[in-house]
Amino acid sequence: MHYLTYVHNLPLTIEAAWDFFSSPTNLKTLTPEYLDFQITSQGAEEKIYPGQIISYTVKPLLKIPFTWVTEITHVEKLRYFIDEQRFGPYAFWHHEHRFMPIQNGVQMTDKIYYTVGFGPLGKALNKLYIQQQIETIFSFRKAKMISLFGSHN
């Protein structure tokens, strides 16, 4: 099991942060263009709710499309939500999004637990490519959030 965590302080109210991040359609804005991220499920324009199924295609490797299906498993408005992969490129994917008010803004924490599968080959792929890919995506997200919302002082 691999674990990654990313913390971002944003100059937003918790309500504004929740409004943006709880809308599945905004995920495309936070994803690098080279992944060609496309939501393919109906109802993605709704705010997240427990049991919501969201499917997308991404092209993380050689422009080969992968279908990724996640379920929003837990939601506590203004505090956190969790998405878990049901079908997709990982053997296991659990992504927790936490929101906490801080002085002059909100702290958003992403906690990701995942496994690649495929035994030693999966471990090597993770070390050589997958973890770096995830870190690149979250670096992009950080820069995009700063360009959208400004930086927290």
Side-chain angles (χ1 to χ4, degrees):
M1 177 83 61
H2 304 284
Y3 171 73
L4 301 170
T5 186
Y6 302 95
V7 179
H8 308 290
N9 294 331
L10 303 170
L12 297 171
T13 65
I14 196 161
E15 293 83 6
W18 182 265
D19 186 57
F20 182 83
F21 292 101
S22 67
S23 177
T25 55
N26 287 331
L27 189 54
K28 183 173 178 71
T29 302
L30 298 172
T31 303
E33 287 184 29
Y34 72 87
L35 289 172
D36 196 17
F37 175 89
Q38 302 293 325
I39 294 177
T40 58
S41 56
Q42 299 295 317
E45 62 284 342
E46 298 179 51
K47 293 293 184 186
I48 58 167
Y49 58 88
Q52 184 178 27
I53 301 291
I54 306 166
S55 61
Y56 358 80
T57 58
V58 291
K59 297 178 182 175
L61 185 63
L62 304 173
K63 300 277 187 200
I64 300 168
F66 285 87
T67 298
W68 195 345
V69 178
T70 60
E71 178 182 357
I72 304 299
T73 58
H74 299 82
V75 176
E76 189 172 324
K77 189 175 182 179
L78 303 179
R79 295 205 49 225
Y80 76 96
F81 66 92
I82 296 171
D83 65 85
E84 295 182 341
Q85 176 188 283
R86 293 297 173 244
F87 303 99
Y90 296 92
F92 177 83
W93 177 270
H94 176 96
H95 183 182
E96 181 179 327
H97 312 252
R98 287 216 169 257
F99 302 85
M100 183 176 71
I102 58 174
Q103 187 173 356
N104 301 319
V106 64
Q107 183 174 82
M108 190 179 96
T109 303
D110 289 286
K111 296 179 181 181
I112 301 164
Y113 300 86
Y114 71 98
T115 59
V116 177
F118 304 111
L121 176 61
K123 287 181 183 181
L125 283 171
N126 185 66
K127 188 171 185 169
L128 295 172
Y129 181 75
I130 295 169
Q131 184 172 338
Q132 182 180 36
Q133 180 85 350
I134 294 169
E135 290 176 359
T136 298
I137 291 167
F138 277 87
S139 291
F140 174 88
R141 285 185 182 175
K142 181 178 183 176
K144 190 65 168 182
M145 287 186 287
I146 289 170
S147 77
L148 290 170
F149 308 120
S151 61
H152 184 270
N153 296 329

